[in-house]
């Protein structure tokens, strides 16, 4: 489980810094990039809400190892779950 300052590779050119990422495989040698996340969690803010629900959702759903993508609304008790 990683909480901050770790990139998740969503595709060949896109990297994101999620609020929480879980990998079920070994970390990379430098511990800076996850290429095989099994869970990604984003907590929205007014400035990131649209990106989290559209761009990141589209990118993360193409990651073959990802089992679930959770979007937590920071300003209300609401969680959007996307999973295989």
């Amino acid at each position: 489980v990683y909480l901050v300052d770790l990139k998740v590779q969503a595709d060949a050119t896109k990297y994101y810094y999620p609020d929480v990422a879980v990998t079920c495989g070994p970390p990379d040698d430098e511990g800076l990039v996850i290429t095989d996340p099994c869970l990604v969690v984003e907590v929205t803010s007014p400035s990131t809400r649209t990106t989290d629900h559209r761009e990141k959702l589209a990118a993360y759903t193409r990651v073959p190892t990802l089992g679930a993508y959770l979007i937590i609304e920071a300003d209300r008790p609401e969680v959007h779950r996307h999973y295989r």
Side-chain angles (χ1 to χ4, degrees):
V1 176
Y2 299 93
L3 298 177
V4 292
D5 298 331
L6 189 73
K7 291 188 282 190
V8 170
Q9 185 173 3
D11 65 26
T13 61
K14 287 192 171 108
Y15 295 84
Y16 297 111
Y17 288 90
D19 294 301
V20 177
V22 177
T23 181
C24 297
D28 71 330
D29 291 337
E30 297 176 13
L32 302 173
V33 178
I34 292 178
T35 58
D36 59 350
C38 56
L39 170 67
V40 171
V41 180
E42 293 282 4
V43 178
T44 66
S45 68
S47 64
T48 66
R49 180 171 286 117
T50 300
T51 303
D52 293 337
H53 282 277
R54 291 184 183 162
E55 177 185 325
K56 290 182 182 180
L57 174 60
Y60 285 140
T61 56
R62 290 190 300 268
V63 176
T65 60
L66 191 68
Y69 173 47
L70 304 178
I71 304 170
I72 300 171
E73 299 292 341
D75 58 354
R76 59 187 179 269
E78 189 174 316
V79 176
H80 302 266
R81 59 189 174 125
H82 305 275
Y83 57 93
R84 290 185 213 282

